[in-house]
Amino acid sequence: MGHGSRAQMMYEQQHVGMDMKKRSQDRRRTVSSEEQKLEIVDLSGMSLESLPNPLLNLGTICKLDLSNNNLQIIPESLTARLLNVIVLNVHSNQLKTLPNSIGCLSKLKVLNVSGNLLQSLPRTIENCRSLEELNANFNQLTQLPDTIGFELLNLKKLSVNSNKLIFLPSSTSHLTNLQILDARLNCLRSLPEDLENLIKLKVLNISQNFQYLSTLPYSLGLLISLVELDVSYNKITVLPESIGCLKKLQKLSVEGNPLVSPPLELFEQGLHMVKEYLCDKINGSRKNSPKKNSWFGKLARCSTFNGANIPYDDREGYIMPNYRSIEGMASPRYMGMFSPKRLFSPKSYFFKMRNCKSSGYEV
């Protein structure tokens, strides 16, 4: 019996409620819904090369598992009719493209397309605005849709490891609900500069980009929820001093880098010593170069970072005596106010205030 006929028979058996093999006794279950009964359909591991036109109503499926088959294409018409699907799993197939009609899946929350041959994701994926988890590991992706961060605002987990990504789109910094970002084993040359908007990010893994990634942005120090940071096996020689201000950071992996600052032996003394070293460098560089154009130094000076390591009498640039810490301002309302361009451009209010004070004028 051909693969197509086998799948067709399975659909029919599911539709009329016939019993299948023991291993597929729970392939179809019902989930209560206010207006209808939604179904879980599991067609994984059946060596399917194509999907026949099903007899059951695709609109009743809430979870569809097509993983571990030999599918090379998912029909546009089939995808467009999965109007109530919440979880779609197509990992470990032979897919080279995803259907554009995936943008019709307005209720989709979890999408797993890992272990395929994808070189890009369709731009229409931005219409899946309920998406919370996207797993595109182990593909051949060279880029992500440019505006992905502007639309997928509910995304909590983005996994794109083991691809060929050269950069992450700048819109990534707008994924304000993102908690996990896994971009290891790629060809990343750099990270977006304005990462400070990722106020809920807890885990960032950009390890094993090997000879490509040599610098990290200062905005890493503004990831106020970051707990784990893995930058191992890259070409990084200097860690941004701002990392010393990550209060919640519990794990920092740096092995496999030609690290000069902080010195590698310091990591043997514990993360708290590394943080202290980096904080001392912030304070030291500020004292030695008071006119240095370092936006992070100015933030520390203005007590944006609680000022714990800055002597009170040495805060000559303190702009607002009751200035709130960054934790208190991490809301969408204040989302962009920590941009260096916005804070310290010659036309900015803060810049003018500072100049007036340093000139002896009352403000």
Side-chain angles (χ1 to χ4, degrees):
M1 184 181 295
H3 295 304
S5 299
R6 182 181 172 189
Q8 184 78 28
M9 178 177 294
M10 182 174 178
Y11 272 121
E12 293 173 356
Q13 288 174 336
Q14 286 182 331
H15 188 58
V16 297
M18 294 181 64
D19 200 13
M20 298 179 63
K21 304 178 193 177
K22 277 189 177 182
R23 83 175 192 87
S24 59
Q25 285 179 351
D26 62 342
R27 274 190 179 274
R28 188 178 174 193
R29 302 195 302 272
T30 58
V31 179
S32 298
S33 177
E34 292 182 1
E35 299 180 356
Q36 61 182 339
K37 289 185 177 180
L38 299 179
E39 299 173 340
I40 296 175
V41 177
D42 184 353
L43 299 177
S44 62
M46 296 186 64
S47 301
L48 298 177
E49 294 182 357
S50 62
L51 293 173
N53 292 324
L55 294 180
L56 77 162
N57 182 5
L58 293 176
T60 64
I61 298 177
C62 67
K63 179 178 179 180
L64 178 59
D65 189 347
L66 300 173
S67 63
N68 292 294
N69 284 294
N70 297 314
L71 299 174
Q72 297 185 29
I73 189 171
I74 299 177
E76 293 276 358
S77 57
L78 182 147
T79 308
R81 291 155 61 191
L82 294 169
L83 299 179
N84 286 299
V85 73
I86 297 175
V87 178
L88 178 58
N89 188 348
V90 295
H91 83 76
S92 300
N93 278 281
Q94 302 294 319
L95 298 174
K96 294 182 179 180
T97 60
L98 294 179
N100 288 317
S101 56
I102 200 168
C104 299
L105 309 184
S106 60
K107 297 182 181 180
L108 186 64
K109 291 187 177 181
V110 178
L111 176 61
N112 189 342
V113 297
S114 63
N116 282 284
L117 304 171
L118 301 174
Q119 295 184 9
S120 63
L121 298 177
R123 189 181 182 90
T124 53
I125 200 172
E126 298 169 357
N127 295 325
C128 301
R129 293 186 175 88
S130 297
L131 198 62
E132 296 181 0
E133 181 176 333
L134 174 57
N135 185 340
N137 299 333
F138 295 99
N139 278 283
Q140 299 175 12
L141 298 175
T142 57
Q143 62 180 13
L144 298 176
D146 288 339
T147 57
I148 190 172
F150 297 134
E151 303 296 339
L152 301 183
L153 298 181
N154 290 306
L155 199 63
K156 296 179 181 179
K157 182 177 181 180
L158 176 59
S159 298
V160 288
N161 78 57
S162 306
N163 280 283
K164 299 178 180 179
L165 296 174
I166 297 175
F167 62 89
L168 297 176
S170 58
S171 66
T172 304
S173 60
H174 290 263
L175 296 171
T176 53
N177 282 303
L178 195 65
Q179 297 180 18
I180 300 175
L181 175 55
D182 182 359
R184 62 196 146 130
L185 285 163
N186 278 282
C187 305
L188 294 177
R189 265 69 169 177
S190 62
L191 297 178
E193 289 292 333
D194 52 346
L195 294 175
E196 62 266 29
N197 291 341
L198 302 181
I199 58 175
K200 295 184 180 180
L201 191 66
K202 296 179 180 179
V203 178
L204 175 60
N205 191 334
I206 48 174
S207 64
Q208 300 177 76
N209 282 276
F210 299 106
Q211 73 269 27
Y212 299 105
L213 188 61
S214 58
T215 59
L216 299 173
Y218 255 67
S219 56
L220 277 181
L222 293 174
L223 296 174
I224 59 175
S225 299
L226 198 64
V227 176
E228 295 184 19
L229 175 60
D230 191 342
V231 298
S232 58
Y233 297 99
N234 287 298
K235 203 177 179 181
I236 298 167
T237 57
V238 177
L239 288 184
E241 299 159 2
S242 59
I243 290 179
C245 296
L246 294 173
K247 294 181 180 179
K248 296 185 178 180
L249 190 66
Q250 298 177 9
K251 183 179 180 181
L252 175 61
S253 301
V254 299
E255 63 270 18
N257 284 286
L259 206 59
V260 175
S261 177
L264 284 173
E265 54 269 22
L266 190 62
F267 286 85
E268 299 176 0
Q269 303 178 35
L271 181 57
H272 67 287
M273 292 299 295
V274 175
K275 286 184 178 181
E276 185 176 330
Y277 172 89
L278 293 171
C279 285
D280 287 345
K281 282 185 67 70
I282 293 173
N283 298 333
S285 63
R286 182 180 61 81
K287 290 178 181 179
N288 296 334
S289 304
K291 296 184 179 180
K292 183 180 178 181
N293 292 322
S294 167
W295 66 269
F296 181 84
K298 293 178 181 177
L299 283 178
R301 229 163 144 188
C302 297
S303 195
T304 305
F305 298 100
N306 82 18
N309 295 300
I310 304 175
Y312 181 81
D313 296 333
D314 197 27
R315 298 179 187 178
E316 69 275 13
Y318 199 77
I319 294 175
M320 298 168 64
N322 296 317
Y323 201 77
R324 281 178 285 178
S325 67
I326 188 171
E327 288 90 341
M329 305 192 76
S331 67
R333 179 180 176 187
Y334 299 102
M335 198 61 67
M337 75 175 297
F338 297 112
S339 164
K341 291 182 180 179
R342 182 167 297 183
L343 276 175
F344 304 113
S345 68
K347 295 182 180 180
S348 74
Y349 173 75
F350 294 102
F351 189 89
K352 292 176 182 177
M353 287 273 286
R354 175 173 169 75
N355 282 349
C356 287
K357 282 202 168 189
S358 61
S359 300
Y361 294 108
E362 293 295 330
V363 185

